[in-house]
Amino acid sequence: MVVAHLLDMDGVLVRGGQAIAGSVDYVARLVAEGWPFQIFTNNSRFTPEDHAKRLRAAGFPVRPEHVYTSALATAQFVESQRPGSSAYVIGEHGLVEALRQTGCRITEFDPDFVIVGDTVSYHYEQIATGAGLVAKGAWFLATNPDATGPTERGFHPACGSVAALIEKATGRQAYFVGKPNAFMMRGALNRLRVQAGDTVMVGDRMDTDVIAGLESGLKTALVLTGVTTRADVERFPFRPDHVLERLADLRDFVTAG
C-alpha cells in the first residue's frame, strides 16, 4: 500500500519549464487529499523557494516545504560530517544558500571541501580552481552524478560530467550525495515521517531514480517523459515496479489506506 510519493521534477513534472501533461492534476490530487510527498530533485541550482515559485508558475499547487533537493542533502551531509566547515562551490545560489544556512563558510582560500553542483554556465576558471584545491587536499563532494540535464534547448552537461573532469585531473573521486545515494533518500523519508515500504519513487532515470528507490526499499515507477525510453530499460539488470508513459498513469496503481 503506497501512502507517500517522492517525485522527481525534471522529466516527471516538467520539461524545459513546461508542465508535462497530467502532472499538475496528479500533484493537485496529492495536495487536496493530504498525501505526503516530496518533489525530490537532484537539481541543486535553485532553493526550495525558487523551485516552488517556478512550479507554481507552471500550475503546481506546491510550497517550499514540498521540495527536497540534492543541495539540501549535501548541506546536511557537510554539517553532519564537519560542522562549521568551509567550502569552495562550483554551482549556483541554491547550493550556496543551503550550505550557508547550515553554517558552512564559502571561500576559495584553503577550504575543507570542494563541492560541485549544477549550473548552466560552468566556467573553466572555477573548474581549474576547484581541481587545484582538491589536488592540495580538499575533500571532494558533488551534489549528484547526473551526466546530463534537460533544458529548453535539449540536454546539457550536468554535475556528474563536470565532477568527472576534476576526477580525471586529480585522481581523486567525488562523493556524490544526491540520488541514488541512500543519504538523500533517508533525508526525504525523515522529512515525510514515512517508511520506505509505504513510498513510491517516481523518476525518469534508471541509473539514479529507479536504482535509488530499489536500493532503499521503495516501490519504483519509471515514466517515459524524460531521458529514458522503453528500450533503454532493457540495458539494465534491474527493473522498476512500473514503466509508465507519464506520471498521470500512476493513479491506477497506488492507493491510500
Side-chain angles (χ1 to χ4, degrees):
M1 178 178 61
V2 171
V3 297
H5 290 63
L6 299 185
L7 301 172
D8 186 37
M9 184 173 62
D10 295 309
V12 175
L13 301 182
V14 296
R15 182 159 186 147
Q18 300 297 312
I20 293 169
S23 59
V24 170
D25 290 342
Y26 194 94
V27 172
R29 178 191 172 211
L30 297 181
V31 173
E33 297 184 6
W35 291 39
F37 74 94
Q38 290 281 276
I39 296 167
F40 187 67
T41 177
N42 266 352
N43 185 330
S44 65
R45 292 178 57 201
F46 304 107
T47 64
E49 291 78 11
D50 292 337
H51 278 302
K53 184 175 181 179
R54 295 172 68 236
L55 287 167
R56 285 197 301 271
F60 294 91
V62 297
R63 302 183 301 274
E65 56 266 33
H66 288 134
V67 181
Y68 189 64
T69 72
S70 63
L72 293 181
T74 300
Q76 290 167 355
F77 177 83
V78 168
E79 184 182 29
S80 71
Q81 296 299 304
R82 194 174 180 88
S85 59
S86 59
Y88 177 73
V89 176
I90 302 171
E92 296 196 22
H93 72 284
L95 177 56
V96 171
E97 182 65 18
L99 290 164
R100 283 177 170 161
Q101 286 184 0
T102 61
C104 182
R105 182 170 57 88
I106 308 303
T107 182
E108 63 180 278
F109 298 104
D110 195 26
D112 297 305
F113 295 93
V114 169
I115 305 177
V116 177
D118 286 306
T119 176
V120 294
S121 57
Y122 290 107
H123 296 290
Y124 178 79
E125 292 81 3
Q126 292 179 322
I127 296 170
T129 297
L133 293 168
V134 169
K136 291 178 181 178
W139 294 308
F140 186 21
L141 299 179
T143 60
N144 67 88
D146 297 39
T148 62
T151 70
E152 292 85 348
R153 300 187 300 272
F155 297 121
H156 73 99
C159 179
S161 295
V162 176
L165 292 176
I166 297 177
E167 289 178 337
K168 187 70 172 179
T170 64
R172 298 274 300 279
Q173 298 297 304
Y175 181 74
F176 295 96
V177 181
K179 294 180 291 182
N181 194 331
F183 185 90
M184 185 171 175
M185 304 298 291
R186 288 196 303 270
L189 294 174
N190 289 341
R191 285 185 109 192
L192 292 177
R193 298 182 181 180
V194 297
Q195 298 298 312
D198 298 328
T199 307
V200 61
M201 174 71 227
V202 187
D204 70 315
R205 292 177 180 265
M206 291 288 289
D207 57 350
T208 54
D209 302 316
V210 172
I211 192 64
L214 178 67
E215 292 183 346
S216 295
L218 284 69
K219 301 295 185 183
T220 57
L222 177 78
V223 297
L224 303 177
T225 47
V227 301
T228 303
T229 67
R230 195 174 293 273
D232 290 335
V233 177
E234 301 304 321
R235 297 190 295 106
F236 294 87
F238 54 88
R239 293 188 63 83
D241 293 296
H242 306 289
V243 179
L244 307 169
E245 293 298 327
R246 58 179 185 162
L247 172 64
D249 296 334
L250 185 62
R251 65 168 57 95
D252 297 329
F253 299 95
V254 297
T255 59

